[in-house]
Amino acid sequence: MKKLKVGILGATGTVGQRMIQLLERHPWFEVSAVAASDNSAGKNYAQATRWMLETPIPESVAKMTVQPCQPGLDCELMLSGLPSAIAEETELQLAKAGMPVLSNASSHRMKADVPLLVPEINPDHLDALELQKKRIGSRGFIVTNPNCSAIGLVFPLAALDRRFKVEAVHVVTMQALSGAGYPGVASLDIIDNVLPSIDMGGEDRKIETESLKILGKWRENRFVDAPMRISAMTHRVNVRDGHLEAVSVKLGTAASLQEVESALRDFGSPIDELQLPSAPRPVIHLESHVQRPQPRLDRDRGQGMAVVVGPVSPCAVLDYKFRVLSHNTIRGAAGAAVLNAELMYRKGLLA
Ligand code: NAP
């Protein structure tokens, strides 16, 4: 089978490296071009990159010359790990030039016709692409994946909302250092410390707003937010990979502890039957031990694509509380973009 050629934008960065690692033996896709900033353009990939992963740089990619992030790259699809400030213009320019762009950046996530896609939850949001293509006047388009903490949160919320309706959510995050990219947070800021309000509160707002869009509907040519209230408080902690979140929820209808657990355990997804290569089965791993999940022990469940939900217990303020863990550079970034690409490929949106 001929593989689809994929270009990686921001290929030298934290997310770009993960995308290259995840695509190394992919059955449908192959990396055909790598692009980054002017500092890296013109160098070969191995020289330009401070490779931070345990597996070696794939041989075919190590030899590639890093290109500028411009139209004309030798590929049929682009996965982007660009910083938001750069992604805003660059991704739009590439989509206007006819390219499907699957982005990790926040710049386009909340736009009125841009899917904020989580295949297991809102595959129908891809219907927005028809409108988007008309707006930008191209066969190219932008599809985004969520903030790296929002992605973990939305799975238990989707499972509970489906059965009982969720009315209100309070979430406190403990987010890993790799979430800040490379070199990220200064060591003297984070050793012996926890840093509150990531991105001066911008991260809190992303979790609150993105989750409502993801859990909402695409109806009559517009996104309608899920009707629930979410309050988020974010923290950067001294962990390499894996975002942990402490969550309390208020439900719309009364449910026993066993019913809540079974809603989480039995969460089924509309894409299960598509057998996508990166889709974890099951996507929610329900943990019963009070001291799990832990980032170091549990972040790689389902090859880093599963979401681990900690023991559910009654909450004296809202109804129930639990913890959620997800791998921020895999499920929260590179793996999410690859899974989005797989869904779109299966649906014939990338041909
Ligand atoms: P990073 O490690 O700082 O990497 C940034 C990449 O963008 C590098 O390849 C860099 O190339 C390139 N770049 C920087 N300025 C550029 C420019 N002016 N033109 C072209 N390329 C440029 O960042 P990251 O953590 O991978 O994050 C990438 C994106 O993913 C961000 O939007 C971030 O918010 C999002 N995201 C990250 C995570 C995570 O867990 N890290 C999770 C979800 C979403 P050079 O090496 O040449 O400078």
Side-chain angles (χ1 to χ4, degrees), residues 215-289:
L215 295 165
K217 304 222 175 322
W218 173 253
R219 192 186 288 149
E220 293 170 9
N221 282 341
R222 56 187 282 265
F223 291 111
V224 181
D225 278 355
M228 62 179 80
R229 289 170 293 131
I230 303 181
S231 173
M233 298 176 82
T234 59
H235 304 84
R236 187 75 68 197
V237 297
N238 199 353
V239 165
R240 196 188 64 176
D241 292 316
H243 290 354
L244 185 64
E245 307 176 50
V247 186
S248 293
V249 293
K250 179 171 168 50
L251 302 178
T253 57
S256 69
L257 181 60
Q258 289 71 24
E259 286 170 328
V260 168
E261 287 175 338
S262 90
L264 293 166
R265 197 182 296 109
D266 303 340
F267 177 74
S269 141
I271 62 154
D272 279 349
E273 71 217 32
L274 298 179
Q275 302 284 317
L276 303 179
S278 304
R281 280 176 292 275
V283 61
I284 295 180
H285 290 208
L286 186 62
E287 256 298 331
S288 55
H289 195 286

Side-chain angles (χ1 to χ4, degrees), residues 10-16 36-37 39-40 69 81-84 86 104-105 109 148 178-182 328-329 332-333:
T12 52
T14 308
V15 174
S37 78
N39 291 337
S40 307
C69 297
L82 288 175
S84 296
I86 310 298
N104 277 278
R109 285 183 194 145
C148 44
S178 60
Y182 189 85
N328 54 294
T329 67

